Amino acid sequence: MNNLIQKVLVVGLGSAGRRHVRIIKKLFPEIKIIALRHKKCENKDIESLGLYKCVETIDEAIKISPQAAIIANPSSMHIGVAKELANHGINLLIEKPISNSSEGIQKLIEICQKNNIVLMTAYNLRFLPSLIEFKSLIQANKIGSIYSVRSEVGQNLSSWRPKSDYKKTVSASKKLGGGVLLELSHEIDYLCWIFGSIAWVKSHISKQSGLDLDVEDSANVILGFKGVIESELVASLNMDFIRHDNTRKCFVIGEKGTLLWDGISGSVNYFEKGANDWIPLFLLKPHIDFTYEEEIKSFFSSIDSNELPYISGNDGANVVSIIEAIKKSSNIGSSVYL
């Protein structure tokens, strides 16, 4: 990395914001980190996190002239802050989802293009070695023609947020951009990344559990990918906040067999046509910070080289549009075409 990035603004000091601060301090200790939060900055936070400064207004942050910003506040607040920063030529990494609504996203993308700045969406799962291998095997025709895709992700919200009251988290709040579709939107992103554009959706979303939240905790979705009618690819996607066995898997069924990606174990397994058991093809479970470190390095590299980011603002916008279609489909009880 060259000297272009000297100061970075981190918006929000929740768990995601603090993780970004810690990782930047580890990878690039020479960078000065400014934090922007809505409440008073405590000296203990400034000292413990090693912050250069902590400010309470966006105007204060802009005056310090950061070259880049990481937006890690609730998703319902992303776009307003991002637009102000982009108008001042500040490169942006926005935590997923890029917003809880498609309103304003396209305008943000246009501002970034006009000012020639990087806008990257933080879908860190794309940096996971096992998922990268899974995609490579599919593209290498390991299982031949693909017949079906089945993806599932779930974890009980009350155990997922053990250090805080889950009822007070973004995940449980509609106002802050919570709900299983937005919080677990990694799945929608990686399915598009691997299999291409989605043409239509059909879904049922609901609150199935006794968890104290005002958003959906379960989503059952069918996704139709673009292609000729004779070879249309359909995926089922099940997402929830209610299961007690932490799960993140994707099965791809093809003419030569089935590939299984397990994001929890970091494995890819193959069940060949005519076989009696799964064959291990890949196993690597990196340190929990690995994907976030790779994400930060990729973001900074895009700024330094003035190249398009690995995961664009358009990628983030696409996921939000799909989520809105999923919600509409559930409301009207029929398929919605994108």
Side-chain angles (χ1 to χ4, degrees), residues 121-190:
T121 310
Y123 279 111
N124 66 292
L125 213 60
R126 288 209 204 177
F127 296 93
L128 192 65
S130 58
L131 187 59
I132 293 170
E133 178 68 14
F134 183 63
K135 180 184 181 184
S136 296
L137 288 166
I138 291 167
Q139 292 181 330
N141 209 33
K142 177 70 176 178
I143 57 172
S145 298
I146 299 171
Y147 297 150
S148 177
V149 178
R150 300 172 191 178
S151 173
E152 59 179 314
V153 61
Q155 184 172 5
N156 194 276
L157 186 58
S158 61
S159 59
W160 182 15
R161 307 294 191 192
K163 294 181 181 179
S164 60
D165 183 347
Y166 77 87
K167 291 175 283 188
K168 298 177 182 178
T169 65
V170 169
S171 305
S173 170
K174 182 177 181 179
K175 179 181 177 182
L176 296 177
V180 75
L181 285 165
L182 289 165
E183 279 290 272
L184 299 179
S185 61
H186 284 288
E187 266 52 35
I188 297 171
D189 176 69
Y190 84 64

Side-chain angles (χ1 to χ4, degrees), residues 197-201 223-227 232 336-338:
S197 300
I198 291 172
W200 57 269
V201 301
L223 306 165
F225 291 85
K226 290 181 180 178
E232 182 177 45
V336 171
Y337 287 80
L338 283 84

Side-chain angles (χ1 to χ4, degrees), residues 26 36 70 80 83-84 116-117 131 135 143 152 200 208 237 242 260 271 275 300 320 327:
K26 174 186 174 183
L36 169 61
I70 299 172
K83 283 181 181 177
E84 287 201 58
N116 192 32
I117 59 174
L131 187 59
K135 180 184 181 184
I143 57 172
E152 59 179 314
W200 57 269
Q208 294 290 105
L237 170 60
I242 60 178
L260 165 60
F271 201 104
F300 287 174
V320 175
K327 290 180 176 180

Side-chain angles (χ1 to χ4, degrees), residues 17-27 33 49 287 289:
R18 288 172 181 266
R19 181 178 59 235
H20 284 302
V21 171
R22 175 169 53 79
I23 287 172
I24 294 170
K25 293 293 291 183
K26 174 186 174 183
L27 297 177
I33 303 175
L49 293 170
H287 185 273
D289 281 347

